[in-house]
Amino acid sequence: MANNTPKAIRGTQDIFGPDAEAFSHVVETFERVRKLYRFRRAEMPVFEKTEVFARAIGETTDVVSKEMYSFEDRGGESLTLRPEFTAGIARAYLTNGWQQHAPLKLATHGPLFRYERPQKGRYRQFHQIDAEIIGAGEPQADVELLAMADQLLRELGISGVTLQLNTLGDGETRGAWRAALIEYFSKVRGDLSEDSQERLEKNPLRILDSKDRRDKAFLADAPRIDEFLSDEAGIFFEDVKSGLKAAGVEFKRAESLVRGLDYYRHTAFEFIPDEGSAAADALGAQSTVLGGGRYDGLMESLGGPATPAVGWAAGIERLAMLVGEREADRPDIVVVVENDAMLGEATKALSKLRAEGFSADMIATGSERKRFTKAQKMDARSIVSFVSSESVKIQGERQSEIESVLA
RNA sequence: GCGAUCGUAGUUCAGUUGGUUAGAACGCCGGCUUGUGAUGCCGGAGGUCGCGGGUUCGAGUCCCGUCGAUCGCCCCA
């Protein structure tokens, strides 16, 4: 390679071969399952006005404060490459009057951008599949969404991953709990890790899932969400749990599971690999495969009417890592031109076969004598070889069927 | 943003305490063998050793910087 060839941007990837097959398998499976649950496809722009994300996600979050790809367009407007789906979907819902379809079940997938330090399973351009139910405030919506996620993982053959479930309560609950946490941790501030001292200002809930030993000492006696749950929020959570049981979705209560983004209320969840499982091994430090929750406050932050909603997103690259490498499908037929004089005949045969729905490839270059061997290595179900006008040989499966197509 | 390890053909890797024209396997191209064939043999193309500087008579090898990858922290899907 010439050394003046430009390199790919840091944190981006060119996906090909077995990895690309795994990637596309994830997307295809998602498309199939999403239809089973009657979610409708939507496509949103890859960039939005910066304020869409700043207002929806929260100015103080890491995503907004230091991870966005923002730039001015030629008209001087500040735009941002989407770092997540939810904010853009909410904006589309409001600006297009999609209220008329509420409750609206939406599914989408595509690239997202975050300026982060690249790592295994973490990229600057990454891809997610995403599902949302907008305009549905009842726990049944949470249950349906989680049942869909659960089925998706099962159909992908992913095991060793458990649904961790928590509630953050309604706005009031979350506020009271947050205040209690700040009060509690402020008393021992000096003994907390540096990271957690900072979290105390920005996002006290996050101290609860700190991995630092110094913080862990205080976690057992920290105020618990359940003490602050309003009656309504408590009933809501109970309904979600009993709905999941009825739907046959297994889960574990995770009291310290919180969400980084400001807009979450009530249900919060993540599918996380079990400790020591093959899945945990495959993902390294990136533990969450699929995560989401309820975001009843989001629409209002964008100036819309109060609109309840739930959603989740999952990293396609991470799911693909759990699926493992996949091979492309075997071709039905390989056509071998063992004699260049037969190229025309072979080309005609190839297009007839493809028109009949056979997947087919042709070998017609390189040494004539080596072409048959090359064809054999392609592991096709059948081989059609053109040696001469008197000698066209069909080997393998479905011989008579192929013969009648070529006749 | 912080810390650690790493960077040699298309790919996976060797390359001795610094010492002639940098090697292997697989893959690719060509020839022979095989002719119902997937084997085997021979030959060929392909690298300014990530990039830039420095030390030295001499650097793939040592030093500094830079870019990138990987593994943690952080964050998140």
CSV table of all heavy atoms in Angstrom, one decimal, chain A residues 114 116-117 120 122 128 199 206 260 288 366-367 369 376 393 395, chain B residues 2 30-31 35-38 48 67-69 71 74-77:
chain,number,residue,atom,x,y,z
A,114,ARG,N,-20.0,9.0,18.8
A,114,ARG,CA,-19.6,9.5,20.1
A,114,ARG,C,-18.1,9.6,20.2
A,114,ARG,O,-17.4,8.7,19.9
A,114,ARG,CB,-20.1,8.5,21.2
A,114,ARG,CG,-21.1,9.1,22.2
A,114,ARG,CD,-22.4,8.4,22.1
A,114,ARG,NE,-22.6,7.5,23.2
A,114,ARG,CZ,-23.7,6.9,23.6
A,114,ARG,NH1,-24.9,7.3,23.1
A,114,ARG,NH2,-23.7,6.1,24.6
A,116,GLU,N,-15.3,9.2,22.0
A,116,GLU,CA,-14.8,8.5,23.2
A,116,GLU,C,-13.5,7.8,22.9
A,116,GLU,O,-13.2,7.6,21.7
A,116,GLU,CB,-15.8,7.4,23.6
A,116,GLU,CG,-17.1,7.9,24.1
A,116,GLU,CD,-18.0,6.7,24.6
A,116,GLU,OE1,-18.7,6.1,23.7
A,116,GLU,OE2,-18.0,6.5,25.8
A,117,ARG,N,-12.8,7.3,23.9
A,117,ARG,CA,-11.6,6.5,23.7
A,117,ARG,C,-12.0,5.2,23.2
A,117,ARG,O,-12.7,4.4,23.9
A,117,ARG,CB,-10.9,6.4,25.0
A,117,ARG,CG,-9.6,5.7,25.0
A,117,ARG,CD,-8.5,6.6,24.3
A,117,ARG,NE,-7.2,5.9,24.4
A,117,ARG,CZ,-6.3,6.1,25.3
A,117,ARG,NH1,-6.5,7.0,26.2
A,117,ARG,NH2,-5.2,5.4,25.3
A,120,LYS,N,-12.3,-2.3,22.9
A,120,LYS,CA,-13.1,-3.4,22.3
A,120,LYS,C,-14.5,-3.2,22.6
A,120,LYS,O,-15.0,-2.9,23.7
A,120,LYS,CB,-12.6,-4.7,23.0
A,120,LYS,CG,-13.1,-5.9,22.4
A,120,LYS,CD,-12.9,-7.1,23.3
A,120,LYS,CE,-13.1,-8.4,22.5
A,120,LYS,NZ,-11.8,-8.9,22.0
A,122,ARG,N,-16.3,-0.7,21.7
A,122,ARG,CA,-16.6,0.7,21.8
A,122,ARG,C,-15.9,1.5,20.7
A,122,ARG,O,-14.7,1.5,20.6
A,122,ARG,CB,-16.2,1.2,23.2
A,122,ARG,CG,-16.7,2.6,23.5
A,122,ARG,CD,-16.4,3.0,25.0
A,122,ARG,NE,-15.1,3.6,25.1
A,122,ARG,CZ,-14.6,4.0,26.2
A,122,ARG,NH1,-15.3,3.9,27.3
A,122,ARG,NH2,-13.4,4.6,26.2
A,128,GLN,N,-26.5,0.8,16.3
A,128,GLN,CA,-27.4,0.3,17.3
A,128,GLN,C,-28.7,-0.1,16.5
A,128,GLN,O,-29.1,0.4,15.5
A,128,GLN,CB,-27.8,1.3,18.3
A,128,GLN,CG,-26.7,1.6,19.3
A,128,GLN,CD,-27.2,2.6,20.4
A,128,GLN,OE1,-28.3,3.2,20.3
A,128,GLN,NE2,-26.5,2.7,21.5
A,199,ARG,N,-18.7,12.8,40.9
A,199,ARG,CA,-20.1,12.3,40.6
A,199,ARG,C,-21.1,12.9,41.6
A,199,ARG,O,-22.2,13.1,41.2
A,199,ARG,CB,-20.1,10.8,40.7
A,199,ARG,CG,-19.6,10.1,39.4
A,199,ARG,CD,-19.8,8.6,39.4
A,199,ARG,NE,-18.8,7.9,40.2
A,199,ARG,CZ,-18.0,7.0,39.7
A,199,ARG,NH1,-18.1,6.6,38.4
A,199,ARG,NH2,-17.1,6.4,40.4
A,206,ARG,N,-24.8,7.6,40.1
A,206,ARG,CA,-23.7,6.8,39.6
A,206,ARG,C,-22.8,6.3,40.6
A,206,ARG,O,-22.1,5.3,40.4
A,206,ARG,CB,-23.0,7.6,38.5
A,206,ARG,CG,-23.7,7.6,37.2
A,206,ARG,CD,-22.8,7.0,36.1
A,206,ARG,NE,-23.2,5.6,35.9
A,206,ARG,CZ,-23.9,5.2,34.9
A,206,ARG,NH1,-24.5,6.0,34.1
A,206,ARG,NH2,-24.2,3.9,34.8
A,260,GLY,N,-27.4,7.0,33.0
A,260,GLY,CA,-26.6,8.2,32.9
A,260,GLY,C,-27.4,9.4,32.4
A,260,GLY,O,-27.1,10.5,32.7
A,288,THR,N,-22.7,-3.7,29.0
A,288,THR,CA,-24.1,-3.6,28.6
A,288,THR,C,-24.3,-4.0,27.1
A,288,THR,O,-23.7,-3.4,26.3
A,288,THR,CB,-24.7,-2.2,28.9
A,288,THR,OG1,-24.4,-1.9,30.3
A,288,THR,CG2,-26.1,-2.2,28.6
A,366,GLY,N,-7.9,-16.8,-14.7
A,366,GLY,CA,-6.7,-17.6,-14.2
A,366,GLY,C,-6.5,-18.8,-15.1
A,366,GLY,O,-7.2,-19.0,-16.1
A,367,SER,N,-5.6,-19.6,-14.7
A,367,SER,CA,-5.3,-20.8,-15.4
A,367,SER,C,-6.5,-21.7,-15.6
A,367,SER,O,-7.2,-22.1,-14.7
A,367,SER,CB,-4.2,-21.6,-14.7
A,367,SER,OG,-4.1,-22.9,-15.2
A,369,ARG,N,-6.8,-24.8,-16.2
A,369,ARG,CA,-6.7,-26.1,-15.6
A,369,ARG,C,-6.9,-26.0,-14.1
A,369,ARG,O,-7.1,-27.0,-13.4
A,369,ARG,CB,-5.3,-26.7,-15.8
A,369,ARG,CG,-4.9,-26.5,-17.3
A,369,ARG,CD,-3.7,-27.3,-17.6
A,369,ARG,NE,-4.0,-28.7,-17.6
A,369,ARG,CZ,-3.2,-29.7,-18.2
A,369,ARG,NH1,-2.0,-29.3,-18.7
A,369,ARG,NH2,-3.5,-30.9,-18.1
A,376,GLN,N,-14.3,-26.0,-6.6
A,376,GLN,CA,-14.5,-27.0,-5.6
A,376,GLN,C,-14.3,-26.4,-4.2
A,376,GLN,O,-15.0,-26.7,-3.2
A,376,GLN,CB,-13.6,-28.2,-5.7
A,376,GLN,CG,-14.1,-29.1,-6.8
A,376,GLN,CD,-13.1,-30.3,-7.1
A,376,GLN,OE1,-11.9,-30.0,-7.1
A,376,GLN,NE2,-13.6,-31.5,-7.2
A,393,LYS,N,-20.9,-30.4,-17.8
A,393,LYS,CA,-21.2,-31.4,-16.7
A,393,LYS,C,-21.9,-30.8,-15.5
A,393,LYS,O,-21.4,-29.7,-15.1
A,393,LYS,CB,-19.9,-32.1,-16.3
A,393,LYS,CG,-19.3,-32.9,-17.4
A,393,LYS,CD,-17.9,-33.3,-17.0
A,393,LYS,CE,-17.1,-33.9,-18.2
A,393,LYS,NZ,-15.7,-33.9,-18.0
A,395,GLN,N,-22.7,-31.5,-11.6
A,395,GLN,CA,-22.5,-32.4,-10.4
A,395,GLN,C,-23.1,-31.8,-9.2
A,395,GLN,O,-23.3,-30.6,-9.1
A,395,GLN,CB,-21.0,-32.5,-10.2
A,395,GLN,CG,-20.2,-32.9,-11.4
A,395,GLN,CD,-18.7,-32.9,-11.1
A,395,GLN,OE1,-18.3,-33.1,-10.0
A,395,GLN,NE2,-17.9,-32.6,-12.1
B,2,C,P,-4.5,12.7,28.9
B,2,C,OP1,-3.2,13.5,29.0
B,2,C,OP2,-4.7,11.9,27.6
B,2,C,O5',-4.5,11.7,30.1
B,2,C,C5',-4.4,12.2,31.4
B,2,C,C4',-4.4,11.1,32.4
B,2,C,O4',-5.7,10.5,32.4
B,2,C,C3',-3.5,9.9,32.1
B,2,C,O3',-2.2,10.1,32.5
B,2,C,C2',-4.2,8.7,32.9
B,2,C,O2',-3.9,8.8,34.2
B,2,C,C1',-5.7,9.1,32.7
B,2,C,N1,-6.2,8.4,31.5
B,2,C,C2,-6.6,7.0,31.7
B,2,C,O2,-6.4,6.5,32.8
B,2,C,N3,-7.1,6.4,30.6
B,2,C,C4,-7.3,7.0,29.4
B,2,C,N4,-7.8,6.3,28.4
B,2,C,C5,-6.9,8.4,29.3
B,2,C,C6,-6.4,9.0,30.3
B,30,G,P,-3.3,-17.4,-13.4
B,30,G,OP1,-4.1,-17.1,-14.6
B,30,G,OP2,-3.8,-18.3,-12.3
B,30,G,O5',-1.9,-18.0,-13.8
B,30,G,C5',-1.2,-17.4,-14.9
B,30,G,C4',0.2,-18.0,-15.1
B,30,G,O4',0.9,-17.8,-13.8
B,30,G,C3',0.2,-19.5,-15.3
B,30,G,O3',0.0,-19.8,-16.6
B,30,G,C2',1.7,-19.8,-14.9
B,30,G,O2',2.6,-19.4,-15.9
B,30,G,C1',1.9,-18.9,-13.7
B,30,G,N9,1.6,-19.6,-12.5
B,30,G,C8,0.5,-19.5,-11.6
B,30,G,N7,0.6,-20.3,-10.6
B,30,G,C5,1.8,-21.0,-10.8
B,30,G,C6,2.4,-22.0,-9.9
B,30,G,O6,2.0,-22.5,-8.9
B,30,G,N1,3.6,-22.4,-10.5
B,30,G,C2,4.2,-21.9,-11.6
B,30,G,N2,5.4,-22.4,-12.0
B,30,G,N3,3.6,-21.0,-12.4
B,30,G,C4,2.4,-20.6,-11.9
B,31,G,P,-0.6,-21.3,-17.0
B,31,G,OP1,-1.0,-21.3,-18.4
B,31,G,OP2,-1.6,-21.7,-16.0
B,31,G,O5',0.6,-22.2,-16.8
B,31,G,C5',1.7,-22.2,-17.7
B,31,G,C4',2.8,-23.2,-17.2
B,31,G,O4',3.3,-22.8,-15.9
B,31,G,C3',2.4,-24.6,-17.1
B,31,G,O3',2.3,-25.3,-18.3
B,31,G,C2',3.5,-25.2,-16.2
B,31,G,O2',4.7,-25.4,-16.9
B,31,G,C1',3.7,-24.0,-15.2
B,31,G,N9,2.9,-24.1,-14.0
B,31,G,C8,1.7,-23.5,-13.7
B,31,G,N7,1.2,-23.8,-12.5
B,31,G,C5,2.1,-24.8,-12.1
B,31,G,C6,2.1,-25.6,-10.8
B,31,G,O6,1.3,-25.5,-9.9
B,31,G,N1,3.2,-26.4,-10.8
B,31,G,C2,4.2,-26.5,-11.7
B,31,G,N2,5.1,-27.4,-11.5
B,31,G,N3,4.2,-25.8,-12.9
B,31,G,C4,3.1,-25.0,-13.0
B,35,G,P,-5.8,-39.2,-14.0
B,35,G,OP1,-6.2,-40.5,-13.7
B,35,G,OP2,-4.8,-39.0,-15.1
B,35,G,O5',-7.1,-38.3,-14.4
B,35,G,C5',-8.2,-38.3,-13.6
B,35,G,C4',-9.3,-37.4,-14.2
B,35,G,O4',-8.7,-36.1,-14.5
B,35,G,C3',-9.8,-37.9,-15.6
B,35,G,O3',-11.2,-37.9,-15.6
B,35,G,C2',-9.2,-37.0,-16.6
B,35,G,O2',-10.2,-36.7,-17.6
B,35,G,C1',-9.0,-35.7,-15.8
B,35,G,N9,-7.8,-35.0,-16.3
B,35,G,C8,-6.5,-35.4,-16.4
B,35,G,N7,-5.7,-34.4,-16.9
B,35,G,C5,-6.5,-33.3,-17.0
B,35,G,C6,-6.2,-32.0,-17.5
B,35,G,O6,-5.1,-31.6,-17.9
B,35,G,N1,-7.3,-31.2,-17.5
B,35,G,C2,-8.6,-31.6,-17.1
B,35,G,N2,-9.6,-30.7,-17.2
B,35,G,N3,-8.9,-32.8,-16.7
B,35,G,C4,-7.8,-33.6,-16.7
B,36,U,P,-12.0,-39.4,-15.4
B,36,U,OP1,-11.0,-40.4,-15.4
B,36,U,OP2,-13.0,-39.3,-16.4
B,36,U,O5',-12.7,-39.3,-13.9
B,36,U,C5',-11.9,-39.3,-12.7
B,36,U,C4',-12.4,-38.2,-11.8
B,36,U,O4',-12.7,-37.0,-12.6
B,36,U,C3',-13.6,-38.5,-11.0
B,36,U,O3',-13.6,-37.9,-9.8
B,36,U,C2',-14.7,-37.9,-11.8
B,36,U,O2',-15.8,-37.5,-11.0
B,36,U,C1',-14.1,-36.6,-12.3
B,36,U,N1,-14.7,-36.1,-13.5
B,36,U,C2,-15.7,-35.2,-13.3
B,36,U,O2,-16.1,-34.9,-12.2
B,36,U,N3,-16.3,-34.7,-14.5
B,36,U,C4,-15.9,-35.0,-15.8
B,36,U,O4,-16.5,-34.4,-16.7
B,36,U,C5,-14.8,-35.9,-15.9
B,36,U,C6,-14.3,-36.4,-14.8
B,37,G,P,-12.4,-38.2,-8.7
B,37,G,OP1,-11.6,-39.3,-9.3
B,37,G,OP2,-13.0,-38.3,-7.4
B,37,G,O5',-11.6,-36.9,-8.7
B,37,G,C5',-10.2,-36.9,-9.1
B,37,G,C4',-9.8,-35.6,-9.6
B,37,G,O4',-10.6,-35.2,-10.7
B,37,G,C3',-10.0,-34.4,-8.6
B,37,G,O3',-8.7,-33.9,-8.3
B,37,G,C2',-10.8,-33.4,-9.3
B,37,G,O2',-10.3,-32.1,-9.2
B,37,G,C1',-10.7,-33.8,-10.7
B,37,G,N9,-11.9,-33.4,-11.5
B,37,G,C8,-13.2,-33.8,-11.3
B,37,G,N7,-14.1,-33.3,-12.1
B,37,G,C5,-13.3,-32.6,-13.0
B,37,G,C6,-13.6,-31.8,-14.1
B,37,G,O6,-14.7,-31.6,-14.6
B,37,G,N1,-12.5,-31.2,-14.7
B,37,G,C2,-11.2,-31.4,-14.2
B,37,G,N2,-10.3,-30.7,-14.9
B,37,G,N3,-10.9,-32.1,-13.2
B,37,G,C4,-11.9,-32.6,-12.6
B,38,A,P,-8.0,-33.8,-6.9
B,38,A,OP1,-6.7,-33.4,-7.3
B,38,A,OP2,-8.3,-35.1,-6.2
B,38,A,O5',-8.7,-32.7,-6.1
B,38,A,C5',-8.3,-31.3,-6.4
B,38,A,C4',-8.7,-30.5,-5.1
B,38,A,O4',-10.1,-30.5,-4.9
B,38,A,C3',-8.1,-31.0,-3.8
B,38,A,O3',-7.6,-29.9,-3.1
B,38,A,C2',-9.2,-31.6,-3.1
B,38,A,O2',-9.1,-31.4,-1.7
B,38,A,C1',-10.4,-30.8,-3.6
B,38,A,N9,-11.7,-31.6,-3.6
B,38,A,C8,-12.0,-32.7,-4.3
B,38,A,N7,-13.2,-33.1,-4.0
B,38,A,C5,-13.7,-32.2,-3.1
B,38,A,C6,-14.9,-32.0,-2.4
B,38,A,N6,-15.9,-32.9,-2.6
B,38,A,N1,-15.1,-31.0,-1.6
B,38,A,C2,-14.1,-30.2,-1.4
B,38,A,N3,-12.9,-30.2,-2.0
B,38,A,C4,-12.7,-31.2,-2.8
B,48,U,P,7.2,-0.6,0.9
B,48,U,OP1,6.2,0.5,0.9
B,48,U,OP2,7.6,-1.2,-0.4
B,48,U,O5',8.5,0.0,1.6
B,48,U,C5',9.4,-0.9,2.3
B,48,U,C4',10.7,-0.1,2.6
B,48,U,O4',10.9,0.9,1.5
B,48,U,C3',10.6,0.8,3.8
B,48,U,O3',10.9,0.0,5.0
B,48,U,C2',11.7,1.8,3.6
B,48,U,O2',13.0,1.3,3.9
B,48,U,C1',11.6,2.0,2.1
B,48,U,N1,10.8,3.2,1.8
B,48,U,C2,11.4,4.2,1.0
B,48,U,O2,12.5,4.2,0.6
B,48,U,N3,10.6,5.3,0.8
B,48,U,C4,9.3,5.5,1.2
B,48,U,O4,8.7,6.5,0.8
B,48,U,C5,8.7,4.4,1.9
B,48,U,C6,9.5,3.3,2.2
B,67,C,P,-0.9,12.2,18.1
B,67,C,OP1,-2.0,13.3,18.1
B,67,C,OP2,-0.6,11.6,19.4
B,67,C,O5',-1.3,11.1,17.1
B,67,C,C5',-1.6,11.4,15.7
B,67,C,C4',-1.6,10.2,14.9
B,67,C,O4',-0.3,9.6,14.9
B,67,C,C3',-2.5,9.1,15.4
B,67,C,O3',-3.9,9.3,15.1
B,67,C,C2',-1.9,7.9,14.7
B,67,C,O2',-2.3,7.9,13.3
B,67,C,C1',-0.4,8.2,14.8
B,67,C,N1,0.2,7.6,16.0
B,67,C,C2,0.6,6.2,15.9
B,67,C,O2,0.4,5.6,14.8
B,67,C,N3,1.1,5.6,17.0
B,67,C,C4,1.3,6.3,18.1
B,67,C,N4,1.8,5.7,19.1
B,67,C,C5,0.9,7.7,18.2
B,67,C,C6,0.3,8.3,17.1
B,68,G,P,-5.0,8.6,16.1
B,68,G,OP1,-6.3,9.1,15.6
B,68,G,OP2,-4.6,8.9,17.5
B,68,G,O5',-4.9,7.0,15.8
B,68,G,C5',-5.2,6.5,14.6
B,68,G,C4',-4.8,5.0,14.6
B,68,G,O4',-3.4,4.9,14.8
B,68,G,C3',-5.4,4.1,15.6
B,68,G,O3',-6.7,3.7,15.3
B,68,G,C2',-4.4,3.0,15.6
B,68,G,O2',-4.6,2.2,14.5
B,68,G,C1',-3.0,3.7,15.4
B,68,G,N9,-2.4,4.0,16.7
B,68,G,C8,-2.3,5.2,17.4
B,68,G,N7,-1.7,5.1,18.5
B,68,G,C5,-1.3,3.8,18.5
B,68,G,C6,-0.5,3.1,19.5
B,68,G,O6,0.0,3.5,20.6
B,68,G,N1,-0.3,1.7,19.2
B,68,G,C2,-0.8,1.1,18.1
B,68,G,N2,-0.6,-0.2,17.9
B,68,G,N3,-1.5,1.8,17.1
B,68,G,C4,-1.7,3.1,17.4
B,69,A,P,-7.6,3.2,16.5
B,69,A,OP1,-9.0,3.0,16.0
B,69,A,OP2,-7.4,4.1,17.7
B,69,A,O5',-7.0,1.8,16.9
B,69,A,C5',-7.2,0.7,16.0
B,69,A,C4',-6.5,-0.5,16.5
B,69,A,O4',-5.1,-0.2,16.7
B,69,A,C3',-6.9,-1.0,17.8
B,69,A,O3',-8.1,-1.8,17.7
B,69,A,C2',-5.7,-1.8,18.3
B,69,A,O2',-5.7,-3.1,17.6
B,69,A,C1',-4.6,-0.9,17.8
B,69,A,N9,-4.2,0.0,18.8
B,69,A,C8,-4.5,1.4,18.9
B,69,A,N7,-3.9,2.0,20.0
B,69,A,C5,-3.2,1.0,20.6
B,69,A,C6,-2.4,1.0,21.8
B,69,A,N6,-2.2,2.0,22.5
B,69,A,N1,-1.9,-0.2,22.1
B,69,A,C2,-2.1,-1.3,21.4
B,69,A,N3,-2.8,-1.4,20.3
B,69,A,C4,-3.3,-0.2,19.9
B,71,C,P,-9.7,-5.2,23.7
B,71,C,OP1,-10.5,-6.4,23.7
B,71,C,OP2,-10.3,-3.9,23.4
B,71,C,O5',-8.9,-5.0,25.1
B,71,C,C5',-8.2,-6.2,25.6
B,71,C,C4',-7.6,-5.8,26.9
B,71,C,O4',-6.5,-4.9,26.7
B,71,C,C3',-8.5,-5.0,27.9
B,71,C,O3',-9.4,-5.8,28.6
B,71,C,C2',-7.5,-4.3,28.8
B,71,C,O2',-7.0,-5.2,29.8
B,71,C,C1',-6.3,-4.0,27.8
B,71,C,N1,-6.5,-2.6,27.3
B,71,C,C2,-5.9,-1.6,28.1
B,71,C,O2,-5.3,-1.9,29.2
B,71,C,N3,-6.0,-0.3,27.7
B,71,C,C4,-6.6,0.0,26.6
B,71,C,N4,-6.7,1.3,26.2
B,71,C,C5,-7.2,-1.0,25.8
B,71,C,C6,-7.1,-2.3,26.2
B,74,C,P,-14.5,3.0,36.7
B,74,C,OP1,-15.1,3.2,38.0
B,74,C,OP2,-14.9,1.8,35.8
B,74,C,O5',-14.7,4.3,35.8
B,74,C,C5',-14.5,5.6,36.4
B,74,C,C4',-14.6,6.7,35.3
B,74,C,O4',-13.6,6.4,34.3
B,74,C,C3',-15.9,6.7,34.6
B,74,C,O3',-16.9,7.4,35.3
B,74,C,C2',-15.5,7.4,33.3
B,74,C,O2',-15.3,8.8,33.5
B,74,C,C1',-14.1,6.8,33.1
B,74,C,N1,-14.2,5.6,32.2
B,74,C,C2,-14.3,5.8,30.8
B,74,C,O2,-14.3,7.0,30.4
B,74,C,N3,-14.4,4.8,30.0
B,74,C,C4,-14.5,3.5,30.5
B,74,C,N4,-14.6,2.5,29.6
B,74,C,C5,-14.4,3.3,31.9
B,74,C,C6,-14.3,4.3,32.7
B,75,C,P,-18.4,6.8,35.4
B,75,C,OP1,-19.2,7.8,36.2
B,75,C,OP2,-18.3,5.4,35.7
B,75,C,O5',-18.9,6.9,33.9
B,75,C,C5',-19.2,8.2,33.3
B,75,C,C4',-19.3,8.1,31.8
B,75,C,O4',-18.2,7.4,31.3
B,75,C,C3',-20.5,7.2,31.3
B,75,C,O3',-21.7,8.0,31.3
B,75,C,C2',-20.0,6.9,29.9
B,75,C,O2',-20.2,8.0,29.0
B,75,C,C1',-18.5,6.7,30.1
B,75,C,N1,-18.3,5.2,30.3
B,75,C,C2,-18.2,4.4,29.2
B,75,C,O2,-18.3,5.0,28.1
B,75,C,N3,-18.0,3.1,29.3
B,75,C,C4,-17.9,2.6,30.5
B,75,C,N4,-17.6,1.2,30.6
B,75,C,C5,-18.0,3.3,31.7
B,75,C,C6,-18.2,4.7,31.6
B,76,C,P,-23.1,7.2,31.6
B,76,C,OP1,-24.1,8.3,31.4
B,76,C,OP2,-23.0,6.4,32.8
B,76,C,O5',-23.2,6.2,30.3
B,76,C,C5',-24.0,6.6,29.2
B,76,C,C4',-23.5,5.8,28.0
B,76,C,O4',-22.2,5.2,28.3
B,76,C,C3',-24.3,4.5,27.7
B,76,C,O3',-25.5,4.9,26.9
B,76,C,C2',-23.4,3.7,26.9
B,76,C,O2',-23.2,4.1,25.6
B,76,C,C1',-22.0,3.9,27.6
B,76,C,N1,-21.7,2.9,28.7
B,76,C,C2,-21.4,1.7,28.2
B,76,C,O2,-21.3,1.4,27.0
B,76,C,N3,-21.1,0.7,29.2
B,76,C,C4,-21.1,1.0,30.4
B,76,C,N4,-20.8,0.1,31.3
B,76,C,C5,-21.5,2.3,30.9
B,76,C,C6,-21.8,3.2,30.0
B,77,A,P,-26.8,3.9,27.0
B,77,A,OP1,-27.9,4.8,26.5
B,77,A,OP2,-26.8,3.3,28.3
B,77,A,O5',-26.5,2.8,25.9
B,77,A,C5',-27.5,2.1,25.3
B,77,A,C4',-27.0,0.8,24.8
B,77,A,O4',-26.2,1.0,23.6
B,77,A,C3',-26.1,0.1,25.8
B,77,A,O3',-26.8,-0.8,26.6
B,77,A,C2',-25.0,-0.5,25.0
B,77,A,O2',-25.2,-1.8,24.7
B,77,A,C1',-25.1,0.3,23.6
B,77,A,N9,-23.9,1.2,23.4
B,77,A,C8,-23.7,2.4,24.0
B,77,A,N7,-22.6,2.9,23.6
B,77,A,C5,-22.1,2.0,22.7
B,77,A,C6,-20.9,2.1,21.9
B,77,A,N6,-20.0,3.1,22.0
B,77,A,N1,-20.7,1.0,21.1
B,77,A,C2,-21.5,0.0,21.1
B,77,A,N3,-22.7,-0.1,21.8
B,77,A,C4,-22.9,0.9,22.6
